[in-house]
């Protein structure tokens, strides 16, 4: 989401005749787009911001993103050189804010804005935000507090952006939102699957991906769309977070492990070649050895193609912040290592099954692309924008090596 927001901010600024600089030490304006999902991310960003201010004291600085929203004007005390803080919901004001900051106005707090269409020149693969905010209030998550309630962009506005990107050479779009499955177009009443079907009809768009889905909102219609829509990439990222029903309840996830496995079964019946990835949090308050064993068991049963495992990080303001963080750091580290080891085993097994098979691949850069299943593919001599079937000869690390 932050990469998408950064790309939109860049588009807005370039439309106002700003030029992007590869060198932060020569830039007149430096924007940090921040993530607040884990404490570690915030700490690293603050230290990078301080360092950048020392290295280029003449530049103007803006802090955008969730950390700007979380700490607001307090940040001007800590960083007196900071010109503005811009919350994610106000990023469309970035052009105006940037001009003010460059003219010497300081201490600007986020201005009001909204999401909309920004003409921009696209690369081979581009993010397109379809929905912002979240109403789910998972007990560990700061997003609903920082990115506000769910809002949906009108389908016409989204499709206009996709057409514009396709005309500039984009071949793949990634629809983004905190909870894409709850998308609806207020004008037509169309849902997320309808949006996917309409986007697939746009000339030049060869592949569509989407992130992120909530298991409670996955519809049978969306699962069927994998079988129906050849432009839909064969990949679903569906965060499960835990395999223990009591932990899922404490997380306020609103599904059980059996519900989740039921979705996996339907997906595998409907479209066998769809790769499934997930997120897991280990060491959530109250998580016992037996809860964690349930998580490992679910990972095996679901036979994921990829599992992103994270240690629980308490975030102030969330419901779980008030729970006792009773899993010791040592146990969290052990569970993280066990989760990662299992994730690696499954990921390698899945990739090795492709040796000797063909994989439809889009190359985003020279030599490097992604298969429809979102596996990283390496093929010497491939050019950015190439699209087609490649023969997988070997697996190196997690990469498929192709001819
Ligand atoms: S669905 Fe849950 S984890 Fe995802 S953004 Fe919303 S509150 Fe956070």
């Amino acid at each position: 989401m932050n990469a998408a927001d950064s790309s939109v901010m860049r588009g807005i600024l370039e439309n106002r005749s700003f030029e992007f600089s590869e060198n932060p030490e020569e830039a007149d304006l430096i924007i940090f787009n921040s993530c607040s999902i884990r404490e570690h991310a915030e700490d690293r960003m603050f230290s990078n911001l301080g360092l950048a201010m020392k290295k280029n004291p003449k530049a103007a600085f803006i802090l955008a993103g969730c950390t700007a929203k979380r700490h607001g004007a307090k940040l001007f005390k800590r960083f007196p050189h900071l010109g503005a803080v811009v919350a994610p919901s106000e990023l469309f004001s970035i052009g105006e804010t940037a001009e003010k900051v460059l003219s010497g106005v300081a201490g600007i707090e986020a201005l009001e804005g909204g999401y909309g269409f920004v003409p921009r020149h696209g690369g081979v693969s581009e993010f397109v935000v379809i929905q912002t905010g979240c109403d789910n209030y998972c007990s560990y998550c700061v997003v609903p507090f920082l990115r506000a309630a769910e809002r949906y962009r009108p389908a016409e506005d989204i499709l206009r952006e996709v057409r514009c990107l396709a005309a500039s050479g984009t071949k793949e779009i990634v629809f983004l939102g905190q909870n894409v499955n709850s998308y609806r177009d207020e004008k037509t009443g169309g849902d997320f699957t309808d949006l996917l079907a309409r986007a697939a009809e746009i000339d030049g768009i060869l592949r569509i991906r989407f992130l992120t889905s909530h298991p409670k909102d996955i519809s049978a219609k969306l699962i069927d769309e994998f079988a129906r829509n050849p432009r839909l990439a064969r990949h679903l990222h569906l965060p499960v977070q835990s395999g223990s029903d009591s932990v899922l309840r404490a997380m306020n996830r609103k599904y059980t492990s059996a519900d989740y496995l039921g979705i996996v079964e339907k997906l595998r019946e409907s479209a066998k070649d769809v790769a499934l990835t997930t997120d897991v949090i280990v060491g959530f308050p109250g998580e016992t050895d037996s809860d964690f064993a349930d998580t490992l068991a679910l990972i095996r049963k679901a036979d994921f193609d990829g599992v992103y495992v994270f240690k629980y990080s308490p975030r102030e303001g969330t419901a779980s912040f008030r729970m006792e963080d009773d899993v010791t750091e040592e146990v969290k580290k052990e569970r993280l290592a066990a989760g990662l080891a299992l994730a690696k085993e499954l990921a390698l097994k899945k990739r090795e099954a492709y040796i000797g098979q063909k994989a439809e691949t889009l190359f985003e850069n020279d030599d490097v692309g992604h298969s429809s299943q979102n596996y990283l593919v390496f093929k010497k001599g491939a050019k950015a924008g190439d699209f087609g079937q490649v023969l997988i000869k070997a697996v190196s690390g997690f990469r498929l090596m192709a001819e």
Side-chain angles (χ1 to χ4, degrees), residues 134 136-138 140-141 143-144 178 214 241 253:
C134 184
N136 285 323
Y137 290 93
C138 300
Y140 51 82
C141 184
V143 166
Q178 257 78 35
H214 193 300
Q241 307 301 8
R253 291 288 291 176

Side-chain angles (χ1 to χ4, degrees), residues 240 242-245 248 255-264 294 298:
V240 66
S242 172
S244 153
D245 289 341
L248 286 172
Y255 54 85
T256 64
S257 55
D259 296 335
Y260 188 93
L261 289 169
I263 298 167
V264 175
D294 288 346
L298 182 139

Side-chain angles (χ1 to χ4, degrees), residues 37 133-145 147 150 177-179 212-217 239 241 251-253 281:
I37 200 86
C134 184
D135 296 340
N136 285 323
Y137 290 93
C138 300
S139 64
Y140 51 82
C141 184
V142 282
V143 166
F145 303 98
R147 286 190 175 254
E150 283 187 14
Q178 257 78 35
N179 192 13
T212 290
S213 300
H214 193 300
K216 77 173 170 51
D217 295 318
Q241 307 301 8
M251 287 177 164
N252 192 30
R253 291 288 291 176
I281 296 172

Side-chain angles (χ1 to χ4, degrees), residues 19 31 55 66 158 168 216 254 281-282 284 294 296 395:
E19 274 174 38
I31 302 172
K55 282 190 175 167
C66 287
I158 296 167
S168 78
K216 77 173 170 51
K254 302 186 182 91
I281 296 172
V282 298
F284 188 79
D294 288 346
L296 292 181
V395 171

